[in-house]
Amino acid sequence: MVGCVRSCTMSMNTEGMQVNLIDGPDPDCKDYKNSAEVRYSVLQTPRCIGKRTFCQEPFKVATACLVAFCLLLLMVLIATNVHRKSLSVQELTSGSAEAQMQKTNADVTALTSELQTLREEKSELEKERSQLKAKIAELEASASNPVQVTTLSTPGQVTAKDSCPSDWHYFSGSCYFISVESEVWPDSQAFCKRNGGHLAIIHTPEEQTFIWDLLPRGHWNAFWIGLSDETVEDDWYWVDGTKLVGGFWEDGEPNNHREEDCCYIVKTEVLSRIATKSWYDAPCYMDRYWICEKEIDASS
């Protein structure tokens, strides 16, 4: 029996595939059925002896392919999602830029309109400011220069104050008007004539100082007076036909820089300027404020 068992065992070791196909013991081994050791050996023998790797290889390949396919599919999904988000961001950015551009255009239009409104308001305020300055100057002049009363030999005649209109100022036999609007020199003279006078004629430092004190200060407040050299260059004549003697020119004036044939007085915010050096020449077509003068008729 020992020999039979050895023989069967050998047969299993050398013919593993055949052992897997045998359902029972070898019929040539008569004592095999009674051998517990041989039966246990046969029952514990695996069916794929020596071919375990071959049996499991297809499953490993299939698993690897499936994993690779899943990874590829995941990468495709990720790339698609990223591309979609990129398109959404681009659309959002484009829409935001267009909306921002429209908002900017609207803001520019609103600011332009507001700027125009502010300019108009500024112009009105400057006009009111000039009028207020003229009024203040008038009040200051009234306070510093009491109205002079003309002493007349004939009883019952009116005073000099009563002889000047309410918005005119009296000095030494004449009434003076300071405009709050600007005109060219000829139109200023025409205004004075319509009101019974002419552009101011100034002969003395006292008269010049009186008029200067009436004028409001400003950046460059300029006022026409009745003096020009339109007929002959450098021959300055007053509007009443008398020739200028002396004058109260600023240093370097008149210079006839640009066909400057008419004279004006300047009063600025610079406190160092003085009344007796305040005349300039300028083109007669420029807009300036003006000073009218009319003499009081003693017979009135």
Side-chain angles (χ1 to χ4, degrees):
M1 184 179 69
V2 174
C4 182
V5 171
R6 184 181 296 114
S7 177
C8 289
T9 301
M10 181 67 68
S11 177
M12 285 187 295
N13 291 332
T14 59
E15 299 177 3
M17 192 63 185
Q18 292 180 3
V19 171
N20 292 331
L21 300 176
I22 295 176
D23 295 331
D26 189 354
D28 294 334
C29 295
K30 295 179 181 181
D31 295 330
Y32 183 74
K33 297 179 181 180
N34 297 324
S35 175
E37 181 180 356
V38 174
R39 186 181 300 112
Y40 178 79
S41 177
V42 172
L43 292 175
Q44 295 298 322
T45 301
R47 293 183 176 272
C48 281
I49 298 176
K51 296 186 178 181
R52 184 181 300 259
T53 302
F54 176 77
C55 295
Q56 293 179 352
E57 188 68 24
F59 298 100
K60 290 182 177 181
V61 173
T63 301
C65 292
L66 183 60
V67 170
F69 178 75
C70 290
L71 291 175
L72 180 61
L73 181 61
L74 180 61
M75 292 174 64
V76 170
L77 290 175
I78 292 173
T80 303
N81 190 30
V82 169
H83 181 65
R84 185 180 303 162
K85 288 183 178 180
S86 176
L87 290 178
S88 298
V89 169
Q90 291 179 358
E91 292 175 356
L92 181 60
T93 303
S94 177
S96 300
E98 184 176 356
Q100 186 66 29
M101 180 64 70
Q102 294 177 353
K103 184 177 182 299
T104 301
N105 291 336
D107 291 342
V108 169
T109 302
L111 288 174
T112 302
S113 177
E114 184 177 356
L115 179 60
Q116 182 64 28
T117 302
L118 290 175
R119 285 176 176 173
E120 294 175 356
E121 292 178 355
K122 178 186 175 184
S123 178
E124 292 295 329
L125 289 174
E126 287 180 346
K127 185 176 180 180
E128 293 179 3
R129 179 171 173 264
S130 297
Q131 293 175 350
L132 288 174
K133 283 187 173 182
K135 199 67 176 178
I136 291 171
E138 179 181 350
L139 293 174
E140 290 176 349
S142 299
S144 60
N145 299 291
V147 176
Q148 300 181 16
V149 178
T150 303
T151 302
L152 301 176
S153 59
T154 306
Q157 288 190 345
V158 297
T159 64
K161 179 180 180 181
D162 295 330
S163 300
C164 293
S166 59
D167 52 350
W168 292 61
H169 310 276
Y170 174 82
F171 178 80
S172 187
S174 295
C175 299
Y176 297 87
F177 171 79
I178 311 300
S179 78
V180 293
E181 298 178 354
S182 58
E183 293 286 355
V184 298
W185 192 90
D187 291 344
S188 300
Q189 170 68 354
F191 174 89
C192 295
K193 283 186 175 181
R194 288 196 303 269
N195 287 272
H198 50 75
L199 286 174
I201 299 173
I202 305 171
H203 293 299
T204 67
E206 292 78 15
E207 184 181 12
Q208 168 69 18
T209 301
F210 171 79
I211 293 174
W212 167 271
D213 290 338
L214 294 178
L215 304 180
R217 290 190 179 275
H219 175 69
W220 188 264
N221 281 352
F223 298 80
W224 290 126
I225 60 175
L227 184 65
S228 70
D229 68 343
E230 286 186 302
T231 303
V232 178
E233 185 63 36
D234 291 332
D235 284 341
W236 291 88
Y237 283 85
W238 295 105
V239 290
D240 65 353
T242 58
K243 188 172 183 178
L244 172 67
V245 177
F248 306 103
W249 298 100
E250 175 64 89
D251 293 338
E253 297 288 333
N255 56 20
N256 194 35
H257 179 60
R258 293 178 301 169
E259 295 298 325
E260 298 174 334
D261 296 327
C262 292
C263 178
Y264 65 91
I265 298 176
V266 169
K267 188 171 184 180
T268 70
E269 295 176 351
V270 179
L271 300 180
S272 60
R273 285 181 174 271
I274 58 176
T276 54
K277 286 189 176 182
S278 59
W279 289 6
Y280 290 79
D281 60 341
C284 299
Y285 56 80
M286 295 184 69
D287 285 340
R288 294 281 186 265
Y289 302 113
W290 67 88
I291 305 168
C292 290
E293 178 186 1
K294 62 180 178 179
E295 292 78 13
I296 297 176
D297 185 1
S299 64
S300 63

